[in-house]
């Protein structure tokens, strides 16, 4: 009776437990955190109640297709912080939250430890037996029998010593707690997580223009020419082959060589000026081949465990079919003209922007979605999106969610070189990976600060960096007129600092370093406006290094994710040193930032970050050269000759052989 | 026509601006930030839009009684962070938020700066005149005329040079921007702020038991005796006089001296064992006086710009009238008894806890609210709440909000010495001030870490510290069996580190340092269980120091708030040095933590934190002793003799006299 009454009272007004500060989360759950299949989500929260009540907390989660929640008891850390973790084992949309409730049985048992007076103990035993009765109501079978038995003996026993032993029965306490009503239970918001396939986190990109891949100089390259290069690119260890737009190129206001606004006869124009009488975003430039040829290329890549990534640029050349079929998709100026596209200071006289604000926006958005659907139908699962920041955020949030609903394996790379908040917003609303400022971060201080932000700040939950030393648009300052050793430095940094990175391939392999002028970042004779013939046979140095680094990346999980990055002090600003770990796999990387001179100095290694706190002696084996060095303690000597190697990539093992 | 059509399109689908990370806020707006009248709320947020759109942002706020929102244009800082501030000039509940919209006129003007081709300029001028037309629709009078004129000339002018000058007309641009439709406007959540009167932030408390204030040893003190002490307490500069419960004290299981469970005849019992046949929480202990006497005391305090703070302990003695009038308010154990109150390891055999979960909770809660209402009716505006953490959070959130609705001047001090999350939750849900761990923080490292957390972490938005060196419950370790100099050190720290602090007065003034035993923090012959006679005439040392420190606190705004606190390095761990600033008022405090020995060392002052970055020479004047020292640069010498003074409280001025 007594227990029943108390139970019912609790239903009328149970003081509730509290859950605060659930982590991880992005903007209070407005956006999803990102993970890949096989990763853990470690959830923590402040869980407590008033007074001397004790609480229990449970992590709840569900994945794609789950009709019920999974539950796992959370463990207390310190200061009312509780934690538990689960593994996301499927691609798709997940949710997780925290439930916390008041554990009257635990508080009752605490009371037993404080009591000594025999009469008091007997009354407190009755209190316990009433509480246990609440659990009995929810229990069945042997558990029920066991609890009934426990409650009865607590009620009947009078010997203080025996009562004490009864109350200390941990297994029965646990049993009663499992079946107890969850008094004052509260549940946090359910927080979203998006889980990608592994390549969303770990990928090595190679960009090239198929039209420049022919064996003979001057001949327009084809998909077949590119196919003939697959084995060589694969031998360098790249697994994503990214192609600039492959569609028909506009003729109206076509750009000439070196971005001239006057094309001469024979000029091929910019692939980003999409669309001509031959078709638009779903057509293929006739000189590259047919859809059949493209599907063969995609298949040939798949055979080599490579993927083709397409460039999606939502803009048109003036003679794109849409311009005549859907004039309302383009904003007219007062004189009836359409303002050409701009990305200040760049001007794209050969390109019209699309008016996402058109009255006909629903039809427009659907058509743009169908562009993605079309290429997914052709076997493409990775898209590099051109300038997403110049389109409305709402469009991307809708498009990515809607494409993923049917095609959850799809990966979107955001090519937004713009202000931090804008880049982050695009990452939050769904882009799988994002281009970064790495392209312009060159000194030890800059690299340390930027990669600490990328790997340690809360933004790491949604912003996955993809680091590029160069692109067709950007001949970076530190590569302009610089020797091949400068390219080797940037390649070594990108491949070991970032789990995802890429190079604008042939130009990078050949150390293309000629700027168009002194101010812009454009290349001289940029491939964007003309055919180039790349004599990759000459390109041994970078190809060999890339092959080596990508092989190390594949063999070492430490390089396949970013969060474990730790920097180690050196006494020479030209030497940057950092480590990455995954389980027992620990790599220590040292890069000589000076492509011209031998640099040497002392590294002051953070042994704790290397998992070596307990070791004096340790061994580093350079995975590039195979050399081994016995090291001792934190302070060790480094020397790097840029003519020999831009970096040490050390495998770290405790002790000396 | 053209502009109208575009305007209407925008209404159908305007890409919206973005507002993120509005600060300050507590748990996403679930709880209010705290301020006092006259303070500023500095609001900042990330405001941006996609692409090259420009945005404007406005801070909106409203205070008690405002029927409309106030608005103020925010200023851009860096990286899309915008900021503006407003002053809260009234007690009560305020709200603030951020509105952000796309500024097409600014983007249009940016375009004008990039254009050179005359024909292109003319078309772009027409675009501008269309945009201005949208503003004209919202403008009146001369503004409207001015804009019409601007739009017309932009439309008619053909000379590129003149067009450029027209477009660069800042005042008209501003005029057009003010009247432009707020395209893609978004508003953040409205965030709550509670504004107290100044004493919510800056207060000096003195606690004493009225029953011990009689002039003759052994006689039970009265309100009249306390009134006779008001001038002396006021002369020490305290402005809040806090009294333990003044209600009739239970006789059943009354506690004897030194917390004995067996009271002897004549034992007065604990004031926290509230209630007897004479009445409960609204009654007054007959030996203290009448309600009339109490009202006279309150008035006498007011005349001296002091306030009486009452102790509200929501618990009862077994013979409190409620126990018989409302048996359902007390949870019976299976044997029909009521479990006495506990606050482990403390046991209160003379006290029953109230069952906040009672079926009759609505009546209970209302009755408890009426207790506060009653004493507010008697002129009390400050309540020190006893052990709020042992009652449900929901009760306090309701009670404080509901009392404040009618009595917004009310101040609630939370006496919750418990785990950090619980103390913070109570502060979030509305307590004006909170007791802190200062009582147990003694070393330089402990004080530096704790006060940095209190004054720099996000919790400062809602957690207002009130620091006590001692209380009737706590004879702190560093005072046990220690000389009066130890009390002087703790007083100096509390009065200069915290804008609100208090002492358990007579015992502190007289350096009461005798522990009841070696383990507990209880006093020997604790005033909680017996009458004490305090010969305050002997108490010159502390009284003089308190008078001095409180006078400095009143004269120097720097000591009246907490956020400006900055610590300065010293080379002696017994010397702690810190500064506080308010406008031009800068104080530098140095305390000798060692009550036994002279300590000296060098301070390495952070001149920037002192506003002296541009000065080599500066002067410090000790406001306690009046001595002046010419200092130079950051490194200066300190020496403190505990027999002379526990601390320097320096007023800082640039240059030498």
């Amino acid at each position: 009776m007594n227990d029943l009454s108390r139970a019912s009272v609790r239903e009328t007004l149970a003081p509730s437990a509290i859950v605060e500060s659930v982590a991880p989360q992005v903007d209070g759950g407005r956006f999803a955190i990102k993970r890949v299949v096989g990763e853990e989500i470690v959830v923590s929260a402040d869980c407590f109640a008033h007074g001397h009540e004790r609480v229990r907390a449970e992590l709840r989660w569900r994945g794609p297709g789950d009709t019920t929640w999974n539950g796992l008891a959370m463990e207390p850390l310190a200061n009312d912080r509780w934690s538990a973790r689960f593994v996301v084992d499927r691609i798709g949309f997940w949710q997780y939250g925290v439930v916390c409730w008041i554990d009257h049985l635990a508080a009752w048992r605490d009371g037993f430890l404080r009591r000594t007076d025999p009469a008091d103990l007997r009354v407190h035993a009755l209190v316990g037996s009433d509480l246990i009765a609440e659990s009995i109501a929810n229990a069945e079978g042997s558990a029920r029998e066991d609890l009934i038995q426990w409650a009865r003996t607590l009620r009947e026993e009078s010997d203080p010593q025996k009562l004490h032993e009864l109350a200390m029965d941990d297994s029965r306490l646990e049993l009663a707690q499992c079946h107890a009503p969850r008094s004052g239970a509260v549940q946090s918001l359910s927080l979203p997580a998006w889980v990608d396939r592994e390549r969303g986190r770990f990928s090595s990109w190679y960009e090239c223009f198929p039209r420049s891949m022919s064996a003979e100089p001057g001949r327009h390259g084809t998909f077949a020419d590119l196919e003939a290069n697959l084995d060589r690119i694969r031998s360098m260890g790249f697994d994503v082959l990214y192609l600039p737009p492959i569609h028909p190129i506009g003729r109206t206001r076509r750009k000439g060589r070196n971005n001239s606004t006057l094309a001469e006869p024979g000029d091929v124009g910019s692939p980003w000026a999409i669309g001509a009488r031959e078709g638009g975003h779903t057509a293929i430039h006739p000189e590259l081949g047919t859809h059949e040829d493209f599907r063969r290329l995609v298949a040939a890549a798949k055979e080599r465990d490579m993927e083709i990534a397409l460039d999606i640029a939502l803009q048109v050349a003036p003679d794109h079919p849409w311009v005549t079929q859907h004039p309302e998709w383009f904003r007219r100026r007062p004189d009836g003209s359409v303002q050409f596209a701009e990305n200040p200071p760049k001007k794209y006289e050969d390109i019209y922007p699309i008016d996402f604000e058109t009255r006909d926006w629903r039809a427009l958005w659907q058509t743009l979605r169908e562009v993605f659907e079309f290429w997914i139908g052709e076997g493409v699962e990775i898209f590099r999106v051109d300038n997403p920041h110049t389109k409305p955020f709402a469009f991307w949030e809708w498009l990515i969610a809607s494409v993923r609903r049917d095609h959850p394996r799809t990966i979107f790379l955001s090519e937004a070189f713009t202000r931090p908040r804008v880049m982050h917003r695009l990452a939050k609303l769904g882009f799988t990976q994002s281009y970064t400022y790495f392209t312009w971060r060159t000194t030890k201080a800059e690299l340390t600060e930027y990669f600490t932000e990328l790997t340690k700040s809360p933004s790491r939950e949604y912003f996955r960096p993809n680091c590029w030393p160069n692109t067709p648009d950007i001949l970076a300052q530190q590569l302009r007129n610089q020797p091949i050793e400068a390219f080797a430095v940037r390649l070594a940094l990108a491949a070991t600092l970032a789990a995802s990175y890429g190079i604008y391939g042939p130009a990078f392999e050949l150390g293309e370093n000629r700027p168009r002028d002194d101010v812009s970042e454009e290349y001289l004779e940029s491939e964007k406006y003309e055919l180039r013939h790349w004599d990759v046979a000459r390109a041994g140095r970078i190809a060999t290094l890339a092959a080596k680094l990508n092989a190390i990346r594949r063999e070492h999980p430490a390089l396949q994710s970013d969060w474990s990055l730790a920097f180690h002090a050196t006494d020479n600003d030209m030497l940057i040193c950092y480590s990455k770990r995954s389980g027992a796999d620990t790599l220590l990387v040292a890069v000589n930032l000076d492509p011209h001179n031998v640099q040497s100095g002392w590294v002051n290694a953070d042994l704790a970050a290397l998992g070596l706190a307990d070791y004096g002696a340790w061994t580093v084996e350079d995975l590039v050269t195979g050399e081994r060095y016995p090291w001792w303690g934190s302070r060790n000597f480094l020397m790097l000759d840029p003519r020999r190697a831009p970096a040490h990539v050390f495998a770290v093992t405790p002790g000396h052989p």
Side-chain angles (χ1 to χ4, degrees), chain A:
Chain A
M1 176 51 210
N2 196 310
D3 59 299
L4 287 176
S5 64
R6 202 189 309 92
S8 56
V9 168
R10 222 173 268 139
E11 281 141 31
T12 59
L13 179 76
S16 76
I18 303 293
V19 176
E20 289 185 339
S21 308
V22 180
Q25 58 173 285
V26 180
D27 295 1
R30 165 70 175 85
F31 298 105
I33 64 165
K34 296 190 174 101
R35 293 293 187 274
V36 305
V37 169
E39 286 183 335
E40 276 184 334
I41 297 180
V42 180
V43 179
S44 61
D46 294 331
C47 302
F48 56 93
H50 68 287
H52 313 293
E53 299 288 6
R54 298 271 300 268
V55 299
R56 303 193 114 195
E58 181 180 88
L59 168 63
R60 309 180 84 207
W61 73 92
R62 60 182 178 192
D66 288 345
T67 52
T68 61
W69 290 89
N70 307 286
L72 179 65
M74 298 177 80
E75 300 293 329
L77 304 175
N79 272 336
D80 295 313
R81 193 77 181 160
W82 293 62
S83 177
R85 56 188 62 203
F86 66 103
V87 173
V88 287
D89 56 10
R90 310 193 295 291
I91 293 172
F93 183 76
W94 293 65
Q95 288 174 292
Y96 57 94
V98 171
V99 184
C100 177
W101 62 94
I102 296 175
D103 180 357
H104 295 286
L105 284 155
W108 164 72
R109 155 101 106 178
D110 292 345
F112 231 97
L113 297 171
R114 290 196 307 271
R115 288 173 159 69
T116 50
D117 170 66
D120 186 33
L121 277 174
R122 275 192 292 277
V123 177
H124 199 61
L126 294 180
V127 172
S129 115
D130 288 344
L131 282 170
I132 295 161
E134 296 181 348
S135 299
I136 292 169
N138 304 331
E140 292 172 345
S142 66
R144 180 181 173 86
E145 292 316 310
D146 197 2
L147 291 174
I148 288 173
Q149 156 70 2
W150 194 30
R152 182 183 302 117
T153 45
L154 275 166
R155 195 171 281 280
E156 292 165 355
E157 182 54 59
S158 61
D159 172 62
Q161 181 52 34
K162 290 224 179 60
L163 272 177
H164 203 271
E165 286 160 16
L166 274 170
M168 293 306 119
D169 185 332
D170 287 331
S171 63
R172 280 163 142 177
L173 179 66
E174 176 64 26
L175 189 62
Q177 286 169 320
C178 292
H179 292 89
R182 294 188 168 184
S183 170
V186 289
Q187 176 165 2
S188 71
L189 280 181
S190 293
L191 299 166
W194 177 263
V195 175
D196 291 296
R197 54 198 175 105
E198 191 189 25
R199 197 158 272 162
R201 184 197 67 210
F202 171 50
S203 53
S204 311
W205 295 49
Y206 187 94
E207 174 178 8
C208 68
F209 290 64
R211 71 186 183 185
S212 299
M213 300 305 281
S214 77
E216 316 89 65
R219 175 169 72 73
H220 194 290
T222 66
F223 291 140
D225 294 317
L226 181 53
E227 207 174 316
N229 277 273
L230 281 183
D231 284 323
R232 199 188 72 81
I233 296 168
R234 185 54 181 141
S235 72
M236 285 187 279
F238 293 100
D239 49 29
V240 178
L241 177 56
Y242 151 45
L243 313 182
I246 57 174
H247 317 298
I249 296 170
R251 294 174 181 80
T252 307
R253 291 203 286 280
R254 171 177 288 190
K255 290 288 185 87
R257 295 164 181 248
N258 290 311
N259 200 25
S260 145
T261 50
L262 286 179
E264 286 161 20
D267 279 344
V268 290
S270 161
W272 284 273
I274 297 170
R277 80 173 76 85
E278 296 84 353
H281 283 74
T282 56
I284 288 178
H285 192 287
E287 294 189 72
L288 288 175
T290 65
H291 285 85
E292 178 56 37
D293 299 331
F294 180 75
R295 283 190 293 271
R296 193 182 311 108
L297 174 67
V298 170
K302 277 214 170 64
E303 284 164 22
R304 295 162 173 81
D305 185 30
M306 296 172 73
E307 287 187 64
I308 301 297
L310 281 194
D311 187 315
I312 299 288
L314 298 182
Q315 59 198 29
V316 304
D319 34 10
H320 189 294
W322 288 345
V323 178
T324 44
Q325 293 163 11
H326 301 283
E328 68 279 15
W329 290 359
F330 304 92
R331 180 176 301 172
R332 305 259 154 205
R333 303 206 293 173
D335 66 340
S337 69
V338 174
Q339 172 63 57
F340 59 75
E342 293 178 86
N343 190 5
K346 294 184 183 153
K347 295 183 176 187
Y348 303 105
E349 294 87 347
D350 53 343
I351 294 172
Y352 284 169
I354 293 168
D355 180 10
F356 284 80
E357 301 179 42
T358 172
R359 263 214 202 73
D360 191 33
W361 64 277
R362 287 180 181 79
L364 168 68
W365 289 24
Q366 281 301 345
T367 304
L368 298 179
R369 182 191 194 282
E370 283 155 17
V371 170
F372 287 86
E373 292 283 348
F374 178 86
W375 292 109
I376 289 171
E378 297 292 279
V380 177
E381 293 185 315
I382 304 183
F383 299 98
R384 175 272 196 192
V385 176
D386 189 74
N387 288 331
H389 60 292
T390 59
K391 290 85 185 172
F393 294 116
F395 169 74
W396 292 119
E397 191 165 12
W398 166 80
L399 179 112
I400 292 173
S402 113
V403 169
R404 272 190 182 146
R405 196 168 306 115
D406 303 332
H407 312 286
R409 290 175 49 84
T410 316
I411 288 173
F412 300 85
L413 168 61
S414 162
E415 189 248 2
F417 288 113
T418 179
R419 290 130 52 212
R421 295 285 84 72
V422 175
M423 291 169 67
H424 280 234
R425 183 79 182 189
L426 290 163
K428 286 178 183 178
L429 60 79
F431 280 92
T432 320
Q433 302 181 349
S434 306
Y435 280 74
T436 70
Y437 300 143
F438 165 75
T439 317
W440 299 275
R441 297 292 183 270
T442 57
T443 67
K444 180 163 97 172
E446 288 169 346
L447 289 163
T448 303
E449 182 194 13
Y450 187 52
F451 278 88
T452 299
E453 177 199 318
L454 288 174
T455 59
K456 305 300 177 193
S457 84
S459 66
R460 71 182 194 176
E461 296 290 349
Y462 58 85
F463 189 92
R464 288 208 197 97
N466 189 331
C467 295
W468 292 68
N470 73 329
T471 79
D473 292 315
I474 309 167
L475 171 58
Q477 185 60 42
Q478 65 277 9
L479 299 180
R480 291 164 67 101
N481 305 312
Q482 290 298 306
I484 198 69
E485 287 77 9
F487 291 71
V489 171
R490 298 298 291 177
L491 176 61
L493 288 168
T496 55
L497 278 170
S500 286
Y501 84 106
I503 56 172
Y504 162 40
F508 195 85
E509 286 189 72
L510 287 157
E512 176 58 76
N513 63 2
R514 297 168 304 145
R516 192 183 72 204
D517 53 51
D518 294 343
V519 293
S520 83
E521 291 178 322
E522 293 286 334
Y523 289 89
L524 182 67
E525 298 165 15
S526 167
E527 199 171 5
K528 290 189 293 181
Y529 311 107
E530 63 190 274
L531 297 188
R532 290 290 300 270
H533 179 73
W534 303 104
D535 181 5
V536 286
R538 281 198 294 110
R541 176 74 191 274
I542 293 294
T544 307
L545 180 63
K548 188 51 117 171
L549 291 171
N550 285 329
I552 296 170
R553 284 163 55 86
R554 251 197 323 285
E555 289 153 25
H556 290 272
L559 294 183
Q560 296 170 13
S561 62
D562 288 324
W563 294 7
S564 69
L565 181 66
F567 288 92
H568 302 262
T570 66
D571 60 4
N572 175 344
D573 278 348
M574 282 299 166
L575 292 176
I576 187 169
C577 188
Y578 46 90
S579 61
K580 283 187 156 189
R581 295 180 65 188
S582 173
D585 184 37
T586 305
L587 297 191
L588 181 70
V589 181
V591 181
N592 174 4
L593 298 174
D594 176 357
H596 304 289
N597 308 295
V598 175
Q599 293 284 348
S600 64
W602 293 83
V603 57
N604 195 351
D606 175 348
L607 296 182
L610 295 170
L612 295 173
D614 308 335
Y615 301 89
W618 46 303
T619 303
V620 294
E621 175 185 2
D622 190 328
L623 300 170
V624 181
T625 63
E627 292 158 323
R628 290 160 156 271
Y629 308 93
W631 278 13
W632 193 275
S634 353
R635 193 168 147 73
N636 292 281
F637 185 73
L638 287 172
M639 173 150 66
L640 279 160
D641 178 350
R643 275 160 298 281
R644 188 158 171 261
H648 291 301
V649 182
F650 290 130
V652 172
T653 47
H656 288 162

